[in-house]
């Protein structure tokens, strides 16, 4: 904190020194028993940095990096395009799937048209056959009436011939007329049977066309399957366009333009601007002096002399003496060699956004214990 160490002078550092001196004076008075309840000595931590969480966006398909749409330090929003990959094999599969869907739709349309025409023809044939039956029945009824009439005349003439009133030629004529009427009735009955058979055939044909509609349903199912395959492939193509999952700042990029990547590679790391805090390193001897909820004053070198208000959120410990950055995990500089403990301090989110703080920015913290 002093000039001898090469640290530039600033008003914020002067304020920190004054606050620290004041807190120390108040603390010493409290230790001597003066009536200053609830106040203890402040704790000054000069090993502090802006800290945040990172979301990683990785490739879900193999491909070649054809475009990098962001650079390190760029601010992005959820959904922004980060990287575009090329995958010729996948695009070829999409083209083939689109052709399959198009062909099956064409087959379905043709089948529907053919089925509609066949059904209409079968319905027309049935209507025609039913009409023929009606006409045949009418002709048969007329033939039967004529047969009954001719038979009655024959019987009457036979009686007259027996009485010697009717001549033999008259009897023969009546007999021929009765026989002809019976033959006509038989022909009309045969015609009716044929027409009824045509009705049965037309009904069978119509039922067969109804069964063909099931083939159309099968074609529809095939189209649904082909469309599902196409949708899956299109989703795979969409996966070649890597997009931001959160608002934030790009802090990590993959290999160079043109490089080939496998699924899971080409990760873009984005510092999530809505999840940021201050992490200050604290010695083992001082850990017991602070507690969650303690207030703090924070100075960040990058924003000048403005002081930020903070609150102790939790105490962190590192078993290895350092911190390994993992996908989706918080990032910050490594823990100093002589520290195993850190304090997480929450700061007003509006202040963090307003000052555009980035992970790794150095800070200084003065914690005022409440106990």
């Amino acid at each position: 904190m002093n000039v001898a160490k090469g640290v530039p002078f600033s008003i914020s550092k002067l304020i920190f020194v004054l606050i620290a001196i004041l807190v120390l004076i108040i603390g010493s008075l409290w230790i001597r028993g003066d009536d200053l309840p609830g106040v203890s000595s402040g704790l000054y931590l000069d090993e502090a940095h802006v800290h945040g969480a990172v979301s990683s966006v990785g490739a879900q398909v193999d491909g070649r990096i054809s475009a990098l749409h962001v650079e390190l330090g760029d601010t992005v929003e959820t959904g922004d395009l980060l990287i575009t990959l090329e995958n010729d094999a996948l695009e070829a599969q999409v083209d083939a799937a689109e052709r399959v869907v198009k062909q099956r739709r064409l087959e379905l349309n043709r089948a529907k048209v053919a089925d509609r025409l066949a059904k209409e023809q079968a319905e027309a044939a049935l209507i025609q056959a039913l009409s023929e039956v009606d006409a045949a029945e009418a002709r048969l009824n007329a033939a039967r009436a004529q047969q009954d009439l001719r038979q009655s005349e024959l019987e009457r003439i036979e009686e007259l011939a027996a009485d010697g009133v009717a001549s033999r030629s008259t009897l023969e004529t009546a007999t021929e007329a009765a026989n002809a009427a019976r033959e006509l009735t038989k022909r009309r009955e045969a015609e009716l049977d044929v027409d009824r058979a045509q009705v049965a055939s037309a009904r069978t044909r119509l039922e067969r066309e109804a069964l063909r509609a099931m083939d159309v349903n099968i074609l529809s199912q095939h189209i649904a399957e082909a469309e599902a395959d196409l949708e899956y492939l299109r989703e795979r193509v969409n996966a070649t366009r890597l997009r931001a999952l959160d608002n934030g700042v790009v802090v990590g990029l993959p290999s160079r333009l043109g490089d080939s990547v496998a699924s899971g590679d080409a990760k873009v790391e984005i510092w999530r601007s809505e999840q940021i805090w201050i992490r200050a390193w604290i010695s083992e001897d001082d850990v017991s002096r602070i507690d969650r909820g303690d207030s703090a004053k924070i100075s960040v070198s990058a924003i000048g002399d403005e002081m930020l208000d903070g609150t102790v959120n939790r105490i962190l410990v590192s078993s290895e003496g350092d911190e390994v950055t993992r996908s989706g995990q918080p990032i910050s500089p490594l823990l100093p060699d002589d520290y195993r403990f850190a304090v997480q301090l929450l700061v007003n989110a509006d202040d963090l956004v307003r000052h555009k703080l980035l992970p790794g920015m150095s800070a200084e913290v003065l914690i005022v214990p409440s106990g």
Side-chain angles (χ1 to χ4, degrees):
M1 283 283 303
N2 53 51
V3 177
K5 293 184 179 180
V7 179
F9 174 80
S10 69
I11 295 176
S12 63
K13 294 182 179 296
L14 177 60
I15 294 174
F16 252 79
V17 171
L18 293 176
I19 293 176
I21 293 173
L22 179 60
V23 172
L24 289 173
I25 293 174
I26 294 174
S28 63
L29 292 175
W30 175 71
I31 293 174
R32 291 200 306 270
D34 291 342
D35 188 16
L36 294 172
V39 178
S40 61
S41 59
L43 181 61
Y44 173 72
L45 307 174
D46 59 356
E47 286 286 349
H49 295 86
V50 178
H51 190 85
V54 165
S55 63
S56 294
V57 182
Q60 299 178 27
V61 296
D62 299 344
R64 182 180 63 85
I65 299 177
S66 60
L68 286 171
H69 304 281
V70 293
E71 297 179 353
L72 288 175
D74 284 354
T75 300
V76 297
E77 296 182 354
T78 302
D80 283 354
L81 187 59
L82 306 174
I83 293 178
T84 298
L85 302 177
E86 283 187 354
N87 187 315
D88 295 338
L90 184 58
E91 292 176 358
Q93 290 176 347
V94 171
D95 291 341
E98 288 176 343
R99 288 195 295 271
V100 169
V101 171
K102 184 178 180 179
Q103 179 62 31
R104 290 187 175 178
R105 285 176 177 170
L106 182 60
E107 292 173 356
L108 177 61
N109 290 335
R110 288 175 176 173
K112 286 182 176 180
V113 171
D115 287 354
R116 184 173 65 252
L117 292 176
K119 183 179 179 181
E120 290 175 355
Q121 291 173 355
E123 290 175 344
L126 177 59
I127 292 173
Q128 180 64 29
L130 290 172
S131 176
E132 292 293 338
V133 166
D134 291 340
E137 288 177 343
R139 290 194 297 271
L140 175 60
N141 291 334
R144 284 174 175 172
Q146 184 68 15
Q147 177 184 337
D148 292 342
L149 177 61
R150 297 305 180 192
Q151 183 63 33
S152 296
E153 290 178 351
L154 175 59
E155 291 175 355
R156 181 175 62 80
I157 291 174
E158 287 177 341
E159 290 177 358
L160 292 175
D163 294 337
V165 176
S167 64
R168 183 176 183 82
S169 60
T170 301
L171 178 60
E172 291 177 351
T173 300
T175 301
E176 291 176 357
N179 291 336
R182 283 195 292 272
E183 290 298 326
L184 179 61
T185 298
K186 290 180 180 179
R187 288 199 304 271
R188 296 293 184 243
E189 289 176 345
E191 291 172 356
L192 179 60
D193 290 340
V194 171
D195 290 334
R196 284 175 175 171
Q198 291 294 331
V199 169
S201 177
R203 291 187 188 278
T204 301
R205 179 181 174 186
L206 187 59
E207 291 172 357
R208 185 168 58 249
E209 296 306 323
L211 292 176
R212 286 183 59 182
M214 296 177 63
D215 295 336
V216 170
N217 293 334
I218 294 175
L219 285 175
S220 299
Q221 292 176 2
H222 290 168
I223 289 177
E225 293 170 357
E227 289 176 338
D229 292 340
L230 177 59
E231 181 63 25
Y232 169 74
L233 290 172
R234 284 175 174 170
E235 289 177 357
R236 299 278 288 172
V237 170
N238 289 334
T240 62
R241 293 182 283 272
L242 279 64
R243 298 184 181 276
L245 302 178
D246 303 281
N247 299 336
V249 177
V250 177
V251 294
L253 281 175
S255 303
R256 296 164 301 187
L257 187 68
D259 284 353
S260 296
V261 296
S263 178
D265 294 339
K267 292 182 179 178
V268 179
E269 294 185 337
I270 298 174
W271 172 67
R272 301 168 63 180
S273 56
E274 76 279 5
Q275 292 194 21
I276 50 181
W277 54 86
I278 304 296
R279 175 172 286 186
W281 317 124
I282 184 172
S283 66
E284 185 175 351
D285 295 337
D286 291 328
V287 170
S288 61
R289 297 177 57 190
I290 62 175
D291 201 355
R292 185 174 184 178
D294 288 349
S295 61
K297 290 290 183 179
I298 301 167
S299 171
V300 180
S301 302
I303 68 173
D305 299 327
E306 183 174 350
M307 307 292 292
L308 304 179
D309 293 323
T311 304
V312 174
N313 185 50
R314 58 168 62 97
I315 308 299
L316 308 173
V317 60
S318 172
S319 60
E320 301 295 334
D322 60 11
E323 182 179 355
V324 178
T325 301
R326 296 185 176 86
S327 175
Q329 298 299 316
I331 64 169
S332 73
L334 298 179
L335 286 165
D337 294 337
D338 56 345
Y339 284 96
R340 293 182 60 250
F341 299 93
V343 183
Q344 184 191 64
L345 299 111
L346 299 183
V347 183
N348 185 284
D350 293 336
D351 290 339
L352 296 172
V353 174
R354 177 164 54 89
H355 292 297
K356 299 181 180 180
L357 299 183
L358 296 175
M361 287 181 174
S362 59
E364 297 171 332
V365 175
L366 180 65
I367 300 175
V368 181
S370 60

